Each structure stands twice: as C-alpha cells, then as structure tokens.
C-alpha cells in the first residue's frame, strides 16, 4: 500500500516538474528563492502560523531560519558523502566543528592562536586574521581533515567505516576540550569575527540582533552550494560515485579508481561541513566544544536518511523538518525527543528510502531486496 | 603470450582459494577454464582482473607485469572482466551502463562505433535502451554485462560464467555471440560450469579442481577425455 502511494505521490510532482518547459521551471525556481528570502518577514495569516515566535517562550524566527539553512548546507554536504558516494559518515560533526573552530582560532583577537601570533610579530592586541581570510582557512582545514581521515579509512567498507568516522567526530570535540592552551578548552573562544559590512544604526551589519541578515547570507551560500552539488552529481565524478555506490567491484572493473573518488567525496563533503560550521560559529560569535556533541552527527545523518539519501531536494526537506519542527513545538519540551524517535521509526518502516527518495536509490533498494529474497530462498 | 598467470596464490583471510595456478592465453585464442562449484574459477578471475590481489605469484599482460596494478589500472591496459551474474549497475539504464563501460575513454567517434557494434551484437539492448538494468531478465542482464565490457575495447575479454542461470536456448545464443566477438579479433578467456558449450567453442582449456589446475589441452581433447566426460559432461 505504502509503495503504491509512493509511486503516486513521489513521482507525480517530479514528472510534472520535469515535463514543464524550461522557462516555467526557471520562473518557479525564482519564485521559491524570492519567497525564501522573504520568509523572515512573513506575517500574513494563516501562513504566519509557521513562525516560531508566536508565544513568548518561542525562539526568534529569523534565528531559527538561519539554523535551518545552516543545517541544510550540512545536509547537502553530507549527502555528497552518504547519498552520492554511499559512504556512511557518522562523524560529520567533526568537520562542522573544525569550520567553527577555524574562524574562532584565527579570527578572534582573544584566541590563544591569535595571541601567540600577536606576541611573535609584536602586533596590536586587537589584531586578528580578517574574516574573509578565515573562510579559505576553514575550508582548507576541513578539507585536510577529510583527506587525513579518509586516506587510511576509506579502504574499509560499510559498518567499519561508520565506526571509525564516529570516533573521528568525538576526537575533534575531545581535543578541542582538552587542548587548553590552543582552544581555551571547555571555556571556549569568544569574540569570533563576523563578516564585514556597512554599519547601520551604530551596529555592524552582521550583529546578534538582526538575525535575518545572517539568514540571507546563509541562504545565498546555500543556493550556491546546491547549484554546485547539482553540477557535481551530473559530472564525470558524479557518475563514478554512482557506480561505486551501486557496485564497487564492478566500478573498479570498469576503470573507476574507486579509492580516489571516495576520497574526493570525503574531502568535498568535509569542506561543505566546514563552511556550515564557520557560519554557525560566526553568528554565535562564541565557540565551545559542547556545541559539537556526537548526537549532532546522528541528527545530520537522520536529516539525509529521512529526507531521501541521494536526492538534494529530499535532504533539504529532511534538514528543514528536523530543525524546524522541534523549534516550532518548543512548548512540548520533553516530548520532542520521543516524537523524534517515533517519527524516525515510522519513516524507516514506511519509507526506508526517505521522504523524497532519489529514483536510483529507490531502485537500488528494490534490487537489494530481491537479492536478499533470492539468497533467503537459496538457503 | 598475451596473458600469463604464474603460480598464483589467492586467499580470503586464512582460507586459500587458489594454490598456485599457472595459465596462459595467446593472442586470438578462445581459452576456457572449467570446473565445479567452489573450484576457484571466480577467484581466478578476481586475481586476473585485479579485484583481489594475489598473495604470491604473478600476472603478466601484454608483456607487462600487472601483478601490482589495481583493477581500474588493468582495465586501461585492455584486460577487461565481465563479471558473473548481477555484475551490472542495477540502478542505471542500459545506456548508462554502457556509458560506464567507456568510462576511461575519450575518443568520442570510436565510442559511437562501439555502441553500434554492441547494439549490432545485441539488438535486444537497443530495444531496451532506456530500461533500468535491474528490472531486466537474467539473459538481458548478461548481454548488458558483455556489452558493457566490450565498450572498454578489451584486448582480452574475460567472461565469468556467462551462461549462469540462463535457459539452454539463451546459452546457445550467448556462446554464438562470444564466438562472433572472438572472430572480430578479441581474445577471450571464459570461465564456465557449462563445460560442454565452453569446450566445444574453445581452442584450449584448463580444468580447475579445488584451487589447482588438474588438466589442460585443446577443447576437443578435453571433450573426449574420459575423466572430464564423467566429471563435467555427465556421460559415463
């Protein structure tokens, strides 16, 4: 029954979309983007009910939107690793933390690293690496971490890789907590720089009050990353990932250097995670190890899997639901983890391929099911 | 010799699957490797194609030692494996699967020619161009696997159990096509459980038993060999 519904709902909208002429799709896309930019000001009933600040205990609407978009960036990045290349990475929070810590360590005038540089070169106490320079630093740090983690571990398959990456995420957090003279340990680092911008009303453009500006910035970056991810999916590299995911041995037999492409997926995924972490750290203007607990890794994986591994629209939806819903229903406090657990189980039973599955992934699921049934019949 | 495997030992953990196998394939030949289930046929293929490294021994292809090369590097030299059973990409369409066969190639025009060649050999694939490979029948999947391997322009095409799970009529048809591919100038090494078909088509053949080569000779010789007849052809 559920499968019939899938076939009906999942495919219908998509077929209609891909059947529409090019300009209709473009206009539709622009409308969606325009609406996304307008969201912080949404105040028309009944749509305003989606806002999270309707009650006094609610969270700031624009800040929630910002977090949703940051996690969408995470989901798109993790989707490259899990969805495209088929590698289960349970330590993605490590790259996210690295991005946040990079901008904090090099950009904050009060970080031990910057202080060391100040002393070494006799620089002013307010000197720090400018924010714009922190972006490439964060990306490169995450990229290096991705390659360092990937090079020895990507020879492992499936569950083994998952366990090693799980350890990696924790190593990053524990190192950040214990390396007192580099990261300030559990105290964390304050004074994380914000992006440059014109001063308005005596405040810098990106400040702690006007969260919608952060949201717009993150949204712009998200759109760019989505665009790049689509290009990547349909490139030669994307085809290699697809082949590896479907059958690694067969891919190797067809001349795909599997290890190289898996490492690429890891590195690209890592740097996108780094960018998301950078945005998060910069908006908080404060970075501490407890913000990067291992449960965040699970949340990230859940976004990808629930949304529809391998489908960019799917993982965006997954990130939205898992970030937005808990914020919207804050008044149910302690019931939220329970609801999350139930929702996860329900989705895995009814739609194991995710809410908006990738067609290919759905087919791979079918194929594996048939294989398992044949194996069971043989035995 | 186009391909030479010497004293190849291949193991899975502590279990040794091949205990020192030596075989040769000359250019233009059809060579068959026959044996029962678990004799080490697929392991031999894995060792030759580089999917699994050898514990000891060597593989020389086209005058070059490829023992240390990975599978994708061996493919670039022209040593191509067509894997058994479901070795195709199930989520890709027929065309996408064939595209993967030409993954390492950049010569667009020659690729076009090879498409026509493959569709000429397997008109069925042309009809099913846009079908998802995982939804096709076993015979069609086998044709696709062979077609995909041809797309990488092999010097030596290694076929792992092309007849597995196919109806007798289809087996006949697949072997006709293999002979045709050989006539078009591709050297072939075929691993088979269906000894009768394989031996009647092969110039030479090896008999594999529990990781050892126990017999070799021309196809006709082995077809007439009493022990082979008894063990593999079901005639006393």
């Amino acid at each position: 029954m559920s499968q019939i519904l899938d076939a009906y709902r999942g495919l219908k909208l998509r077929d209609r979309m891909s059947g529409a002429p090019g300009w209709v799709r473009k206009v539709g896309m622009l409308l969606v983007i325009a609406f996304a930019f307008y969201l912080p000001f949404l105040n028309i009933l009944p749509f305003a009910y989606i806002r999270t600040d309707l009650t006094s205990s609610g969270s700031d609407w624009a800040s929630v939107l910002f977090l949703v978009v940051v996690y969408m960036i995470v989901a798109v990045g993790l989707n490259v690793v899990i969805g495209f290349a088929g590698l289960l990475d349970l330590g993605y929070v490590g790259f996210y933390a690295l991005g946040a810590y990079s901008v904090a360590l090099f950009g904050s005038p009060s970080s031990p690293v910057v202080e060391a540089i100040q002393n070494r070169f006799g620089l002013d106490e307010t000197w720090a690496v400018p924010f714009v320079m922190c972006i490439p630093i964060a990306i490169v740090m995450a990229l290096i971490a991705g390659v360092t983690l990937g090079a020895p571990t990507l020879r492992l398959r499936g569950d083994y890789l998952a366990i090693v990456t799980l350890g990696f995420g924790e190593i990053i957090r524990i190192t950040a907590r214990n390396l007192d003279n580099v990261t300030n340990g559990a105290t964390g680092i304050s004074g994380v720089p914000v992006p440059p911008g014109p001063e308005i009303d005596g405040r810098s453009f990106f400040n702690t009050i006007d969260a919608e500006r952060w949201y717009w910035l993150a949204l712009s970056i998200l759109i760019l990353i989505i665009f790049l991810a689509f290009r990547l999916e349909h490139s030669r590299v994307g085809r290699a990932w697809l082949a590896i995911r479907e059958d690694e041995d067969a891919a190797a037999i067809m001349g795909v250097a599997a290890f190289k492409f898996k490492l690429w997926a890891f590195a690209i995924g890592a740097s996108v995670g780094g960018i998301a972490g950078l945005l998060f750290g910069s908006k908080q203007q404060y970075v501490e190890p407890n913000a990067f607990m291992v449960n965040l890794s699970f949340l990230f994986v859940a976004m990808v899997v629930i949304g529809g591994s391998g489908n960019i629209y799917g993982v965006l939806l997954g990130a939205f639901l898992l970030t937005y819903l808990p914020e919207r229903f804050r008044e149910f406090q302690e019931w939220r983890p329970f609801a999350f657990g139930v929702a996860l189980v329900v989705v895995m039973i009814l739609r194991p391929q995710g809410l908006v599955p990738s067609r290919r992934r759905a087919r791979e699921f079918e194929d594996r099911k048939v294989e398992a049934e044949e194996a069971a019949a043989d035995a | 010799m186009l391909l030479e495997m010497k004293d190849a030992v291949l193991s899975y953990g502590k279990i040794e699957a091949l205990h020192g196998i030596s075989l040769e394939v000359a250019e233009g030949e059809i060579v068959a490797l026959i044996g029962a289930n678990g004799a080490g046929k697929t392991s031999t293929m894995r060792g030759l194609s580089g999917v699994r490294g050898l514990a000891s021994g060597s593989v020389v292809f086209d005058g070059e030692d490829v023992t240390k090369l990975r599978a994708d590097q061996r493919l670039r030299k022209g040593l191509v494996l067509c894997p058994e059973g479901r070795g195709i990409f199930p989520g890709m369409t027929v065309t996408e699967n064939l595209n993967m066969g030409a993954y390492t190639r950049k010569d667009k025009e020659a690729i076009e020619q090879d498409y026509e060649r493959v569709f000429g050999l397997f008109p069925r694939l042309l009809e099913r161009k846009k079908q998802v490979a995982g939804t096709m029948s076993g015979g069609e999947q086998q044709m696709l696997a062979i077609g995909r391997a041809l797309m990488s322009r092999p010097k030596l095409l290694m076929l792992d159990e092309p007849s597995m799970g196919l109806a007798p009529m289809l087996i006949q048809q697949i072997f006709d096509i293999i002979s045709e591919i050989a006539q078009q100038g591709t050297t072939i090494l075929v691993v088979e459980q269906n000894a009768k078909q394989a031996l009647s088509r092969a110039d030479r053949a090896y008999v594999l038993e529990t990781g050892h080569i126990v017999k070799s000779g021309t196809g006709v010789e082995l077809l007439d060999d009493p022990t082979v007849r008894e063990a593999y052809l079901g005639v006393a």
Side-chain angles (χ1 to χ4, degrees):
Chain A
M1 181 63 194
S2 73
Q3 269 163 7
I4 299 168
L5 285 176
D6 286 355
Y8 182 68
R9 252 193 259 115
L11 302 181
K12 207 176 159 199
L13 176 72
R14 212 178 315 174
D15 285 339
R16 212 186 286 162
M17 265 309 271
S18 56
W23 69 270
V24 173
R25 271 192 286 170
K26 271 190 195 126
V27 169
M29 202 58 86
L30 281 177
L31 281 176
V32 169
I33 292 173
F35 181 69
F37 273 94
Y38 164 74
L39 265 180
F41 299 127
L42 185 70
N43 227 340
I44 321 159
L45 288 170
F47 303 110
Y49 279 114
I50 66 168
R51 291 181 71 112
T52 52
D53 51 2
L54 295 174
T55 58
S56 54
S57 63
S59 4
D60 176 45
W61 174 227
S63 292
V64 170
L65 286 175
F66 171 78
L67 195 66
V68 166
V69 170
V70 166
Y71 284 175
M72 280 178 165
I73 295 176
V74 166
V76 172
L78 187 56
N79 183 47
V80 171
V81 184
I82 297 183
F84 292 172
L87 308 163
L88 185 51
D89 183 352
L90 290 181
Y92 200 66
V93 73
F95 304 118
Y96 184 67
L98 267 172
Y101 262 99
S102 301
V103 64
L105 286 175
F106 291 95
S108 160
S110 59
S111 95
V113 172
V114 169
E115 275 170 3
I117 299 174
Q118 285 166 357
N119 292 338
R120 177 76 181 72
F121 298 101
L123 293 162
D124 191 66
E125 248 180 40
T126 56
W127 180 89
V129 179
F131 179 84
V132 180
M133 283 304 298
C134 289
I135 301 172
I137 293 178
I139 295 174
V140 168
M141 291 264 284
L143 197 97
I144 291 173
V147 172
T148 321
L149 171 65
T153 56
L154 283 177
R155 290 169 211 284
L156 302 173
R157 288 190 189 184
D159 313 347
Y160 302 102
L161 179 69
I163 291 167
V164 174
T165 53
L166 180 63
F168 167 78
E170 280 294 87
I171 288 171
I172 296 285
R173 182 180 65 86
I174 293 167
T175 308
R177 200 184 60 203
N178 293 336
L179 221 57
D180 284 334
N181 45 6
V182 179
T183 63
N184 272 350
T187 329
I189 301 166
S190 55
V192 179
V194 298
E199 271 193 21
I200 295 172
D201 303 334
R203 290 197 298 264
S204 60
F205 190 73
F206 290 100
N207 56 51
T208 39
I209 299 164
D210 302 309
E212 66 273 7
R213 294 174 192 164
W214 287 98
Y215 167 66
W216 290 327
L217 174 72
L219 186 60
S220 312
I221 294 173
L222 172 67
I223 291 167
L224 180 72
I225 288 176
I226 292 175
F227 172 74
L228 293 176
F230 271 116
R231 293 292 298 265
L232 209 54
E233 186 182 4
H234 296 109
S235 70
R236 207 177 134 76
V237 181
R239 274 212 295 153
W241 286 335
L242 174 62
I244 292 168
R245 191 180 79 206
E246 294 209 343
D247 190 334
E248 191 170 334
D249 283 342
I253 288 167
M254 290 297 106
V256 176
F259 179 71
K260 185 178 92 182
F261 285 109
K262 288 202 283 186
L263 199 58
W264 265 111
F266 239 61
I268 291 169
S271 44
V272 173
I275 293 170
L278 173 140
L279 281 168
F280 172 78
S282 180
K283 166 152 193 296
Q284 301 288 310
Q285 298 182 23
Y286 172 64
V287 169
E288 53 132 358
N290 281 343
F292 308 105
M293 300 288 268
V294 67
N295 55 357
L296 211 48
S297 271
F298 298 145
L299 181 70
F300 293 162
V301 173
M303 288 171 182
V304 171
V305 174
I306 289 183
S309 186
N311 183 319
I312 294 175
Y313 296 117
V315 301
L316 289 174
L317 177 70
F320 171 78
L321 291 177
L322 292 190
T323 324
Y324 166 77
L325 289 180
E327 291 293 344
R328 176 66 184 79
F329 298 105
R330 248 181 193 284
E331 52 271 37
F332 301 105
Q333 292 285 1
E334 59 274 25
W335 284 99
R336 288 182 300 166
F338 175 72
F340 176 67
V342 171
L344 234 152
V345 172
V346 169
V347 170
M348 285 305 102
I349 291 171
L350 295 180
R351 289 195 70 120
Q353 66 279 55
L355 294 173
V356 188
S358 131
R359 275 186 189 177
R360 273 189 220 283
R361 282 238 118 168
R363 293 195 293 240
E364 286 162 30
F365 252 100
E366 277 302 303
D367 193 67
R368 263 170 222 155
K369 220 157 88 189
V370 171
E371 241 171 38
E373 274 160 16
E374 280 173 4
D378 281 347
Chain B
M1 281 298 145
L2 184 61
L3 178 75
E4 226 177 327
M5 190 181 216
K6 258 203 189 123
D7 307 318
V9 175
L10 187 145
S11 45
Y12 303 95
K14 281 182 188 154
I15 303 159
E16 203 176 276
L18 304 180
H19 318 286
I21 287 203
S22 301
L23 58 84
E24 294 175 341
V25 181
E27 203 161 345
E29 271 187 316
I30 300 182
V31 175
L33 191 61
I34 61 171
N37 260 337
K41 300 187 305 282
T42 293
S43 294
T44 309
M45 283 305 191
R46 288 170 158 247
L48 284 171
S49 64
V51 173
R52 199 166 175 93
L54 297 180
S56 69
S58 68
V59 180
V60 176
F61 178 68
D62 211 4
E64 192 181 342
D65 187 347
V66 297
T67 317
K68 295 268 175 271
L69 296 189
R70 295 188 312 262
D72 57 286
Q73 293 166 318
R74 292 190 200 186
L75 172 117
R76 283 162 208 260
K77 308 265 178 215
L79 181 60
V80 178
L81 173 67
C82 169
E84 66 177 327
R86 290 174 160 265
I88 47 143
F89 300 110
M92 296 189 195
T93 63
V94 168
T95 317
E96 287 169 329
N97 261 286
L98 293 178
N99 272 332
M100 281 312 297
Y103 189 78
T104 56
R105 296 173 56 191
K106 298 219 162 61
D107 43 344
K108 282 228 166 79
E109 281 170 30
I111 292 176
E112 278 305 314
Q113 285 172 12
D114 283 354
Y115 271 120
E116 275 164 34
R117 178 181 171 209
V118 168
F119 287 140
L121 287 167
F122 303 105
R124 197 58 174 274
L125 294 182
L126 186 61
E127 291 164 27
R128 310 248 149 164
K129 240 168 129 174
K130 291 204 172 127
Q131 190 170 340
V132 177
T135 64
M136 299 199 305
S137 73
E140 288 163 344
Q141 291 192 11
Q142 187 57 57
M143 293 177 189
L144 179 57
I146 298 175
R148 190 186 61 181
L150 286 177
M151 288 305 293
S152 47
R153 284 234 164 152
K155 279 184 200 152
L156 173 65
L157 176 61
M158 300 185 285
L159 297 151
D160 194 357
E161 301 244 10
S163 77
M164 195 166 72
L166 300 187
M169 221 180 75
L170 258 175
I171 296 178
Q172 185 74 32
Q173 200 186 338
I174 290 272
F175 271 96
D176 284 344
I177 289 167
I178 292 170
S179 302
E180 197 177 330
I181 293 169
Q183 270 162 24
Q184 289 174 2
T186 309
T187 309
I188 284 175
L189 173 63
V190 57
V191 158
E192 261 298 335
Q193 227 173 326
N194 187 323
K196 193 177 169 205
Q197 275 290 345
L199 291 178
S200 59
R201 308 274 179 161
D203 298 312
R204 287 188 309 112
Y206 295 90
V207 180
L208 199 58
E209 254 168 43
T210 57
H212 296 279
I213 286 185
V214 292
K215 237 185 196 96
S216 67
T218 65
V220 185
E221 272 168 27
L222 290 178
L223 266 180
D224 291 337
D225 187 293
T227 49
V228 171
R229 286 173 70 91
E230 188 174 350
Y232 300 103
L233 302 172
V235 244

